Short mmCIF file of all heavy atoms in Angstrom, two decimals:
data_model
loop_
_atom_site.label_atom_id
_atom_site.label_comp_id
_atom_site.label_asym_id
_atom_site.label_seq_id
_atom_site.Cartn_x
_atom_site.Cartn_y
_atom_site.Cartn_z
N MET A 260 7.81 9.33 -2.75
CA MET A 260 7.74 7.90 -2.86
C MET A 260 9.02 7.28 -2.47
O MET A 260 9.09 6.13 -2.09
CB MET A 260 7.30 7.52 -4.32
CG MET A 260 6.85 6.08 -4.43
SD MET A 260 6.34 5.59 -6.09
CE MET A 260 4.65 6.08 -6.07
N GLY A 261 10.11 8.07 -2.52
CA GLY A 261 11.41 7.57 -2.09
C GLY A 261 11.43 7.16 -0.62
O GLY A 261 12.09 6.19 -0.27
N ASP A 262 10.76 7.89 0.20
CA ASP A 262 10.63 7.65 1.64
C ASP A 262 9.94 6.25 1.78
O ASP A 262 10.35 5.48 2.71
CB ASP A 262 9.93 8.66 2.39
CG ASP A 262 10.69 10.00 2.47
OD1 ASP A 262 11.93 9.97 2.31
OD2 ASP A 262 10.09 11.01 2.69
N LEU A 263 8.96 5.97 1.04
CA LEU A 263 8.27 4.71 1.07
C LEU A 263 9.18 3.58 0.67
O LEU A 263 9.19 2.52 1.31
CB LEU A 263 7.02 4.76 0.21
CG LEU A 263 6.06 3.60 0.33
CD1 LEU A 263 5.69 3.27 1.67
CD2 LEU A 263 4.87 3.77 -0.59
N LYS A 264 9.97 3.78 -0.32
CA LYS A 264 10.96 2.78 -0.73
C LYS A 264 11.93 2.47 0.38
O LYS A 264 12.21 1.33 0.68
CB LYS A 264 11.69 3.24 -1.99
CG LYS A 264 12.89 2.42 -2.38
CD LYS A 264 12.53 1.24 -3.20
CE LYS A 264 13.71 0.58 -3.91
NZ LYS A 264 14.45 -0.32 -3.10
N ASN A 265 12.40 3.50 1.04
CA ASN A 265 13.33 3.31 2.19
C ASN A 265 12.66 2.52 3.33
O ASN A 265 13.26 1.67 3.95
CB ASN A 265 13.85 4.68 2.69
CG ASN A 265 14.76 5.34 1.69
OD1 ASN A 265 15.42 4.72 0.89
ND2 ASN A 265 14.85 6.64 1.76
N LEU A 266 11.41 2.91 3.60
CA LEU A 266 10.63 2.24 4.66
C LEU A 266 10.50 0.74 4.33
O LEU A 266 10.70 -0.10 5.18
CB LEU A 266 9.24 2.90 4.80
CG LEU A 266 8.31 2.30 5.82
CD1 LEU A 266 8.85 2.52 7.23
CD2 LEU A 266 6.94 2.81 5.64
N MET A 267 10.20 0.45 3.06
CA MET A 267 10.07 -0.97 2.66
C MET A 267 11.37 -1.70 2.76
O MET A 267 11.43 -2.86 3.19
CB MET A 267 9.57 -1.00 1.21
CG MET A 267 8.07 -0.55 1.13
SD MET A 267 7.44 -0.29 -0.59
CE MET A 267 7.69 -1.89 -1.32
N ASP A 268 12.49 -1.02 2.33
CA ASP A 268 13.80 -1.63 2.41
C ASP A 268 14.19 -1.96 3.89
O ASP A 268 14.76 -2.97 4.18
CB ASP A 268 14.85 -0.77 1.73
CG ASP A 268 14.71 -0.72 0.21
OD1 ASP A 268 14.01 -1.59 -0.37
OD2 ASP A 268 15.28 0.19 -0.41
N GLN A 269 13.96 -0.97 4.72
CA GLN A 269 14.37 -1.12 6.13
C GLN A 269 13.52 -2.09 6.95
O GLN A 269 14.07 -2.76 7.84
CB GLN A 269 14.33 0.26 6.83
CG GLN A 269 15.34 1.21 6.31
CD GLN A 269 15.15 2.59 6.86
OE1 GLN A 269 14.30 2.90 7.67
NE2 GLN A 269 16.01 3.57 6.35
N ASN A 270 12.24 -2.20 6.63
CA ASN A 270 11.34 -3.03 7.45
C ASN A 270 10.86 -4.28 6.82
O ASN A 270 10.08 -5.03 7.38
CB ASN A 270 10.12 -2.18 7.88
CG ASN A 270 10.54 -1.04 8.81
OD1 ASN A 270 11.23 -1.23 9.78
ND2 ASN A 270 10.24 0.19 8.38
N GLY A 271 11.36 -4.56 5.60
CA GLY A 271 10.96 -5.82 4.93
C GLY A 271 9.51 -5.94 4.65
O GLY A 271 8.82 -4.96 4.45
N LYS A 272 9.04 -7.18 4.57
CA LYS A 272 7.69 -7.43 4.10
C LYS A 272 6.60 -6.92 5.06
O LYS A 272 5.43 -6.82 4.67
CB LYS A 272 7.46 -8.96 3.89
CG LYS A 272 7.49 -9.76 5.11
CD LYS A 272 7.28 -11.23 4.77
CE LYS A 272 7.21 -12.04 6.07
NZ LYS A 272 6.81 -13.40 5.78
N ASN A 273 6.94 -6.55 6.28
CA ASN A 273 5.95 -6.03 7.21
C ASN A 273 6.01 -4.54 7.36
O ASN A 273 5.54 -3.93 8.39
CB ASN A 273 6.08 -6.69 8.58
CG ASN A 273 5.75 -8.15 8.56
OD1 ASN A 273 4.82 -8.58 7.86
ND2 ASN A 273 6.51 -8.98 9.21
N TRP A 274 6.54 -3.82 6.37
CA TRP A 274 6.69 -2.37 6.41
C TRP A 274 5.37 -1.65 6.70
O TRP A 274 5.31 -0.61 7.27
CB TRP A 274 7.28 -1.88 5.06
CG TRP A 274 6.36 -2.06 3.94
CD1 TRP A 274 6.31 -3.13 3.07
CD2 TRP A 274 5.32 -1.19 3.51
NE1 TRP A 274 5.29 -3.01 2.19
CE2 TRP A 274 4.64 -1.81 2.39
CE3 TRP A 274 4.84 0.07 3.95
CZ2 TRP A 274 3.60 -1.20 1.73
CZ3 TRP A 274 3.76 0.65 3.29
CH2 TRP A 274 3.14 0.06 2.20
N TRP A 275 4.32 -2.28 6.24
CA TRP A 275 2.99 -1.60 6.25
C TRP A 275 2.28 -1.69 7.62
O TRP A 275 1.35 -0.95 7.88
CB TRP A 275 2.11 -2.30 5.20
CG TRP A 275 1.93 -3.75 5.45
CD1 TRP A 275 2.73 -4.73 4.99
CD2 TRP A 275 0.93 -4.36 6.25
NE1 TRP A 275 2.27 -5.96 5.45
CE2 TRP A 275 1.14 -5.78 6.20
CE3 TRP A 275 -0.18 -3.86 6.99
CZ2 TRP A 275 0.38 -6.67 6.94
CZ3 TRP A 275 -0.98 -4.80 7.63
CH2 TRP A 275 -0.69 -6.22 7.62
N VAL A 276 2.68 -2.54 8.52
CA VAL A 276 1.93 -2.81 9.77
C VAL A 276 1.74 -1.56 10.51
O VAL A 276 0.58 -1.25 10.97
CB VAL A 276 2.68 -3.86 10.61
CG1 VAL A 276 2.05 -4.02 11.99
CG2 VAL A 276 2.73 -5.19 9.89
N GLU A 277 2.78 -0.76 10.70
CA GLU A 277 2.59 0.53 11.50
C GLU A 277 1.83 1.59 10.80
O GLU A 277 1.47 2.60 11.30
CB GLU A 277 3.97 1.04 11.91
CG GLU A 277 4.65 0.12 12.91
CD GLU A 277 6.02 0.74 13.35
OE1 GLU A 277 6.14 2.00 13.41
OE2 GLU A 277 6.92 -0.04 13.67
N HIS A 278 1.63 1.42 9.47
CA HIS A 278 1.02 2.41 8.63
C HIS A 278 -0.34 1.95 8.05
O HIS A 278 -0.91 2.69 7.21
CB HIS A 278 2.02 2.75 7.45
CG HIS A 278 3.33 3.14 7.96
ND1 HIS A 278 3.62 4.37 8.49
CD2 HIS A 278 4.48 2.41 8.11
CE1 HIS A 278 4.88 4.38 8.86
NE2 HIS A 278 5.41 3.18 8.66
N HIS A 279 -0.83 0.90 8.54
CA HIS A 279 -2.09 0.35 8.05
C HIS A 279 -3.27 1.36 8.22
O HIS A 279 -4.04 1.53 7.29
CB HIS A 279 -2.44 -0.97 8.80
CG HIS A 279 -3.69 -1.63 8.36
ND1 HIS A 279 -3.74 -2.27 7.16
CD2 HIS A 279 -4.90 -1.67 8.90
CE1 HIS A 279 -4.97 -2.76 7.00
NE2 HIS A 279 -5.72 -2.44 8.05
N HIS A 280 -3.37 1.95 9.34
CA HIS A 280 -4.49 2.80 9.61
C HIS A 280 -4.36 4.26 9.06
O HIS A 280 -5.33 4.81 8.54
CB HIS A 280 -4.82 2.94 11.10
CG HIS A 280 -5.27 1.62 11.68
ND1 HIS A 280 -6.51 1.04 11.38
CD2 HIS A 280 -4.70 0.70 12.45
CE1 HIS A 280 -6.66 -0.05 11.97
NE2 HIS A 280 -5.57 -0.33 12.63
N GLY A 281 -3.18 4.80 9.04
CA GLY A 281 -2.98 6.12 8.50
C GLY A 281 -2.77 6.09 7.01
O GLY A 281 -3.70 6.43 6.23
N PHE A 282 -1.56 5.74 6.58
CA PHE A 282 -1.28 5.72 5.14
C PHE A 282 -2.15 4.79 4.37
O PHE A 282 -2.71 5.07 3.30
CB PHE A 282 0.20 5.35 4.98
CG PHE A 282 0.62 5.25 3.57
CD1 PHE A 282 0.74 6.33 2.70
CD2 PHE A 282 0.86 3.97 3.01
CE1 PHE A 282 1.17 6.22 1.41
CE2 PHE A 282 1.25 3.85 1.67
CZ PHE A 282 1.42 4.96 0.88
N GLY A 283 -2.36 3.55 4.98
CA GLY A 283 -3.19 2.54 4.29
C GLY A 283 -4.66 2.98 4.12
O GLY A 283 -5.19 2.73 3.06
N MET A 284 -5.20 3.63 5.09
CA MET A 284 -6.53 4.10 4.98
C MET A 284 -6.63 5.15 3.84
O MET A 284 -7.57 5.16 3.07
CB MET A 284 -7.06 4.67 6.27
CG MET A 284 -8.55 5.06 6.27
SD MET A 284 -9.63 3.73 5.86
CE MET A 284 -9.51 2.78 7.36
N GLY A 285 -5.65 6.03 3.79
CA GLY A 285 -5.56 7.01 2.70
C GLY A 285 -5.58 6.34 1.33
O GLY A 285 -6.26 6.78 0.40
N VAL A 286 -4.74 5.35 1.20
CA VAL A 286 -4.61 4.61 -0.10
C VAL A 286 -5.93 4.02 -0.43
O VAL A 286 -6.51 4.12 -1.58
CB VAL A 286 -3.53 3.56 -0.04
CG1 VAL A 286 -3.58 2.63 -1.26
CG2 VAL A 286 -2.13 4.20 0.05
N ARG A 287 -6.55 3.29 0.50
CA ARG A 287 -7.83 2.63 0.28
C ARG A 287 -8.94 3.64 -0.04
O ARG A 287 -9.74 3.36 -0.92
CB ARG A 287 -8.24 1.81 1.53
CG ARG A 287 -7.37 0.60 1.63
CD ARG A 287 -7.57 -0.13 2.93
NE ARG A 287 -6.80 0.53 3.95
CZ ARG A 287 -6.80 0.25 5.27
NH1 ARG A 287 -7.55 -0.73 5.67
NH2 ARG A 287 -6.08 0.95 6.09
N ASN A 288 -8.92 4.76 0.61
CA ASN A 288 -9.93 5.81 0.30
C ASN A 288 -9.75 6.37 -1.13
O ASN A 288 -10.76 6.61 -1.84
CB ASN A 288 -9.91 6.95 1.31
CG ASN A 288 -10.51 6.52 2.64
OD1 ASN A 288 -11.29 5.51 2.72
ND2 ASN A 288 -10.15 7.20 3.69
N LEU A 289 -8.53 6.56 -1.53
CA LEU A 289 -8.27 7.03 -2.92
C LEU A 289 -8.77 5.99 -3.95
O LEU A 289 -9.36 6.42 -4.94
CB LEU A 289 -6.78 7.25 -3.15
CG LEU A 289 -6.23 8.54 -2.54
CD1 LEU A 289 -4.68 8.53 -2.59
CD2 LEU A 289 -6.82 9.79 -3.09
N PHE A 290 -8.57 4.75 -3.72
CA PHE A 290 -9.07 3.73 -4.60
C PHE A 290 -10.63 3.80 -4.65
O PHE A 290 -11.22 3.76 -5.71
CB PHE A 290 -8.69 2.33 -4.20
CG PHE A 290 -7.34 1.92 -4.67
CD1 PHE A 290 -6.28 1.68 -3.75
CD2 PHE A 290 -6.98 1.88 -6.03
CE1 PHE A 290 -5.00 1.29 -4.21
CE2 PHE A 290 -5.76 1.47 -6.49
CZ PHE A 290 -4.79 1.24 -5.58
N ARG A 291 -11.28 3.90 -3.54
CA ARG A 291 -12.74 4.05 -3.48
C ARG A 291 -13.17 5.25 -4.22
O ARG A 291 -14.18 5.19 -5.02
CB ARG A 291 -13.24 4.02 -2.02
CG ARG A 291 -13.07 2.69 -1.37
CD ARG A 291 -13.71 2.73 0.07
NE ARG A 291 -13.44 1.46 0.70
CZ ARG A 291 -12.48 1.30 1.64
NH1 ARG A 291 -11.79 2.35 2.09
NH2 ARG A 291 -12.28 0.14 2.19
N GLU A 292 -12.57 6.38 -4.01
CA GLU A 292 -12.91 7.58 -4.68
C GLU A 292 -12.72 7.49 -6.19
O GLU A 292 -13.40 8.14 -7.02
CB GLU A 292 -12.09 8.78 -4.12
CG GLU A 292 -12.48 9.18 -2.75
CD GLU A 292 -11.46 10.20 -2.15
OE1 GLU A 292 -10.71 10.79 -2.87
OE2 GLU A 292 -11.52 10.38 -0.90
N GLY A 293 -11.75 6.65 -6.58
CA GLY A 293 -11.48 6.48 -7.96
C GLY A 293 -12.41 5.45 -8.65
O GLY A 293 -12.22 5.14 -9.84
N GLY A 294 -13.35 4.90 -7.93
CA GLY A 294 -14.35 4.04 -8.49
C GLY A 294 -14.17 2.53 -8.21
O GLY A 294 -14.95 1.72 -8.68
N PHE A 295 -13.15 2.18 -7.52
CA PHE A 295 -12.98 0.79 -7.14
C PHE A 295 -13.97 0.45 -6.06
O PHE A 295 -13.99 1.08 -4.97
CB PHE A 295 -11.57 0.53 -6.63
CG PHE A 295 -10.50 0.57 -7.73
CD1 PHE A 295 -9.95 1.79 -8.06
CD2 PHE A 295 -10.14 -0.54 -8.38
CE1 PHE A 295 -8.98 1.84 -9.06
CE2 PHE A 295 -9.22 -0.55 -9.40
CZ PHE A 295 -8.63 0.65 -9.74
N GLU A 296 -14.78 -0.54 -6.31
CA GLU A 296 -15.86 -0.93 -5.37
C GLU A 296 -15.56 -2.21 -4.69
O GLU A 296 -16.47 -3.01 -4.52
CB GLU A 296 -17.19 -0.87 -6.12
CG GLU A 296 -17.57 0.48 -6.59
CD GLU A 296 -18.89 0.57 -7.25
OE1 GLU A 296 -19.74 -0.33 -6.99
OE2 GLU A 296 -19.12 1.46 -7.99
N TRP A 297 -14.28 -2.43 -4.32
CA TRP A 297 -13.95 -3.66 -3.63
C TRP A 297 -14.40 -3.53 -2.21
O TRP A 297 -14.42 -2.43 -1.61
CB TRP A 297 -12.43 -3.83 -3.63
CG TRP A 297 -11.83 -4.01 -4.99
CD1 TRP A 297 -12.40 -4.52 -6.10
CD2 TRP A 297 -10.56 -3.57 -5.43
NE1 TRP A 297 -11.56 -4.48 -7.17
CE2 TRP A 297 -10.43 -3.89 -6.79
CE3 TRP A 297 -9.50 -2.94 -4.79
CZ2 TRP A 297 -9.26 -3.67 -7.52
CZ3 TRP A 297 -8.40 -2.65 -5.51
CH2 TRP A 297 -8.21 -2.99 -6.86
N GLY A 298 -14.77 -4.60 -1.61
CA GLY A 298 -15.20 -4.65 -0.19
C GLY A 298 -14.00 -4.35 0.72
O GLY A 298 -12.83 -4.38 0.31
N PRO A 299 -14.30 -4.05 1.96
CA PRO A 299 -13.20 -3.63 2.90
C PRO A 299 -12.21 -4.74 3.10
O PRO A 299 -10.98 -4.52 3.29
CB PRO A 299 -13.94 -3.30 4.19
CG PRO A 299 -15.35 -3.88 4.04
CD PRO A 299 -15.62 -3.98 2.63
N ILE A 300 -12.64 -6.04 3.15
CA ILE A 300 -11.68 -7.12 3.40
C ILE A 300 -10.76 -7.23 2.14
O ILE A 300 -9.55 -7.37 2.26
CB ILE A 300 -12.35 -8.41 3.69
CG1 ILE A 300 -13.04 -8.27 5.05
CG2 ILE A 300 -11.40 -9.59 3.63
CD1 ILE A 300 -13.94 -9.44 5.39
N ASP A 301 -11.38 -7.18 0.94
CA ASP A 301 -10.59 -7.21 -0.31
C ASP A 301 -9.57 -6.06 -0.34
O ASP A 301 -8.37 -6.23 -0.69
CB ASP A 301 -11.44 -7.17 -1.55
CG ASP A 301 -12.19 -8.47 -1.71
OD1 ASP A 301 -11.75 -9.54 -1.34
OD2 ASP A 301 -13.37 -8.36 -2.23
N MET A 302 -10.09 -4.88 0.02
CA MET A 302 -9.22 -3.71 -0.05
C MET A 302 -8.05 -3.83 0.98
O MET A 302 -6.93 -3.51 0.65
CB MET A 302 -10.03 -2.43 0.34
CG MET A 302 -9.32 -1.21 -0.02
SD MET A 302 -9.17 -0.95 -1.84
CE MET A 302 -10.74 -0.27 -2.25
N ASP A 303 -8.31 -4.40 2.19
CA ASP A 303 -7.25 -4.62 3.13
C ASP A 303 -6.21 -5.60 2.60
O ASP A 303 -5.05 -5.46 2.81
CB ASP A 303 -7.80 -5.16 4.44
CG ASP A 303 -8.28 -4.14 5.40
OD1 ASP A 303 -8.07 -2.94 5.12
OD2 ASP A 303 -8.88 -4.49 6.39
N ASP A 304 -6.67 -6.64 1.86
CA ASP A 304 -5.77 -7.61 1.25
C ASP A 304 -4.95 -7.06 0.09
O ASP A 304 -3.87 -7.53 -0.21
CB ASP A 304 -6.53 -8.81 0.86
CG ASP A 304 -7.11 -9.62 2.00
OD1 ASP A 304 -6.64 -9.48 3.16
OD2 ASP A 304 -8.00 -10.47 1.77
N LEU A 305 -5.52 -6.13 -0.65
CA LEU A 305 -4.94 -5.73 -1.92
C LEU A 305 -4.05 -4.43 -1.86
O LEU A 305 -3.14 -4.41 -2.64
CB LEU A 305 -5.97 -5.53 -2.98
CG LEU A 305 -6.76 -6.83 -3.28
CD1 LEU A 305 -7.94 -6.46 -4.24
CD2 LEU A 305 -5.85 -7.87 -3.95
N TRP A 306 -4.35 -3.53 -1.01
CA TRP A 306 -3.66 -2.21 -1.05
C TRP A 306 -2.14 -2.34 -0.88
O TRP A 306 -1.38 -1.66 -1.52
CB TRP A 306 -4.27 -1.17 -0.11
CG TRP A 306 -3.81 -1.36 1.32
CD1 TRP A 306 -4.47 -2.04 2.33
CD2 TRP A 306 -2.67 -0.75 1.96
NE1 TRP A 306 -3.78 -1.93 3.51
CE2 TRP A 306 -2.66 -1.14 3.36
CE3 TRP A 306 -1.64 0.10 1.51
CZ2 TRP A 306 -1.69 -0.72 4.23
CZ3 TRP A 306 -0.68 0.49 2.40
CH2 TRP A 306 -0.72 0.11 3.74
N ILE A 307 -1.71 -3.29 -0.03
CA ILE A 307 -0.27 -3.40 0.25
C ILE A 307 0.47 -3.88 -1.00
O ILE A 307 1.47 -3.23 -1.35
CB ILE A 307 -0.04 -4.42 1.40
CG1 ILE A 307 -0.77 -3.96 2.67
CG2 ILE A 307 1.49 -4.66 1.65
CD1 ILE A 307 -1.02 -5.03 3.69
N GLY A 308 -0.01 -4.88 -1.64
CA GLY A 308 0.68 -5.38 -2.85
C GLY A 308 0.61 -4.31 -3.99
O GLY A 308 1.58 -4.20 -4.71
N LEU A 309 -0.45 -3.57 -4.10
CA LEU A 309 -0.53 -2.55 -5.15
C LEU A 309 0.48 -1.46 -4.89
O LEU A 309 1.13 -1.00 -5.81
CB LEU A 309 -1.95 -1.99 -5.19
CG LEU A 309 -3.03 -2.97 -5.69
CD1 LEU A 309 -4.42 -2.42 -5.44
CD2 LEU A 309 -2.76 -3.32 -7.18
N VAL A 310 0.66 -1.03 -3.68
CA VAL A 310 1.65 -0.03 -3.29
C VAL A 310 3.05 -0.55 -3.56
O VAL A 310 3.89 0.16 -4.15
CB VAL A 310 1.45 0.49 -1.86
CG1 VAL A 310 2.62 1.32 -1.39
CG2 VAL A 310 0.17 1.26 -1.70
N GLU A 311 3.27 -1.74 -3.13
CA GLU A 311 4.62 -2.33 -3.35
C GLU A 311 4.96 -2.42 -4.80
O GLU A 311 6.08 -2.16 -5.20
CB GLU A 311 4.73 -3.73 -2.68
CG GLU A 311 4.74 -3.66 -1.15
CD GLU A 311 4.63 -5.03 -0.52
OE1 GLU A 311 4.25 -6.00 -1.21
OE2 GLU A 311 4.89 -5.09 0.67
N ARG A 312 4.01 -2.80 -5.60
CA ARG A 312 4.25 -2.93 -7.04
C ARG A 312 4.60 -1.60 -7.64
O ARG A 312 5.46 -1.51 -8.48
CB ARG A 312 3.07 -3.61 -7.65
CG ARG A 312 3.27 -3.98 -9.07
CD ARG A 312 2.06 -4.80 -9.57
NE ARG A 312 2.25 -5.12 -11.00
CZ ARG A 312 1.38 -5.73 -11.68
NH1 ARG A 312 0.21 -6.06 -11.21
NH2 ARG A 312 1.59 -5.98 -12.94
N ALA A 313 3.83 -0.57 -7.28
CA ALA A 313 4.06 0.75 -7.76
C ALA A 313 5.41 1.28 -7.38
O ALA A 313 6.13 1.85 -8.23
CB ALA A 313 3.03 1.70 -7.26
N VAL A 314 5.83 1.02 -6.11
CA VAL A 314 7.17 1.51 -5.69
C VAL A 314 8.24 0.81 -6.43
O VAL A 314 9.22 1.41 -6.88
CB VAL A 314 7.28 1.34 -4.18
CG1 VAL A 314 8.76 1.52 -3.71
CG2 VAL A 314 6.34 2.28 -3.46
N ARG A 315 8.12 -0.53 -6.56
CA ARG A 315 9.15 -1.26 -7.30
C ARG A 315 9.28 -0.83 -8.75
O ARG A 315 10.37 -0.70 -9.29
CB ARG A 315 8.88 -2.82 -7.23
CG ARG A 315 9.22 -3.41 -5.91
CD ARG A 315 9.21 -4.96 -6.01
NE ARG A 315 7.94 -5.51 -6.32
CZ ARG A 315 7.01 -5.88 -5.46
NH1 ARG A 315 7.19 -5.66 -4.18
NH2 ARG A 315 5.85 -6.39 -5.89
N LYS A 316 8.15 -0.55 -9.35
CA LYS A 316 8.14 -0.06 -10.76
C LYS A 316 8.82 1.31 -10.90
O LYS A 316 9.58 1.52 -11.80
CB LYS A 316 6.70 -0.03 -11.34
CG LYS A 316 6.67 0.25 -12.77
CD LYS A 316 5.27 0.12 -13.28
CE LYS A 316 5.28 0.39 -14.81
NZ LYS A 316 4.07 -0.02 -15.43
N LYS A 317 8.54 2.16 -9.96
CA LYS A 317 9.09 3.48 -9.96
C LYS A 317 10.65 3.46 -9.73
O LYS A 317 11.36 4.25 -10.29
CB LYS A 317 8.46 4.34 -8.90
CG LYS A 317 9.06 5.68 -8.62
CD LYS A 317 8.70 6.67 -9.66
CE LYS A 317 9.27 8.04 -9.28
NZ LYS A 317 9.26 9.01 -10.35
N PHE A 318 11.08 2.57 -8.87
CA PHE A 318 12.54 2.53 -8.46
C PHE A 318 13.24 1.31 -8.97
O PHE A 318 14.12 0.81 -8.30
CB PHE A 318 12.60 2.62 -6.92
CG PHE A 318 12.17 3.95 -6.36
CD1 PHE A 318 10.89 4.11 -5.85
CD2 PHE A 318 12.97 5.06 -6.43
CE1 PHE A 318 10.45 5.32 -5.39
CE2 PHE A 318 12.55 6.26 -5.99
CZ PHE A 318 11.30 6.39 -5.44
N ARG A 319 13.01 0.88 -10.19
CA ARG A 319 13.76 -0.22 -10.81
C ARG A 319 15.19 0.09 -10.92
O ARG A 319 15.61 1.14 -11.26
CB ARG A 319 13.23 -0.56 -12.13
CG ARG A 319 11.90 -1.10 -12.20
CD ARG A 319 11.57 -1.51 -13.61
NE ARG A 319 10.13 -1.59 -13.78
CZ ARG A 319 9.55 -2.06 -14.81
NH1 ARG A 319 10.28 -2.47 -15.81
NH2 ARG A 319 8.28 -2.07 -14.90
#
């Protein structure tokens, strides 16, 4: 998760753009497997903020 924190620090608010299809798809699939039944548009809108929040919480 430290690498993700570095990526966020280096690339600012658009850190996720290059990772939307790879890492982002993995995150979205994990949420779906965990029972979250959000639609694809909602999932696209939400996964970034959820990951950012988790990283900030971990590295306060």
Side-chain angles (χ1 to χ4, degrees):
M260 197 178 273
D262 291 339
L263 186 53
K264 169 83 166 81
N265 292 335
L266 179 70
M267 290 168 60
D268 289 343
Q269 291 172 3
N270 296 305
K272 67 179 184 171
N273 293 322
W274 66 268
W275 60 271
V276 172
E277 292 182 32
H278 307 281
H279 181 76
H280 293 291
F282 177 73
M284 185 60 70
V286 170
R287 288 173 279 177
N288 286 340
L289 286 172
F290 277 117
R291 287 185 187 103
E292 290 170 15
F295 288 87
E296 296 183 21
W297 299 327
I300 292 172
D301 291 326
M302 196 66 84
D303 276 351
D304 290 343
L305 297 172
W306 79 268
I307 299 159
L309 293 169
V310 168
E311 288 173 345
R312 190 172 178 186
V314 168
R315 282 193 299 270
K316 186 171 184 170
K317 171 76 176 167
F318 292 99
R319 291 185 202 191

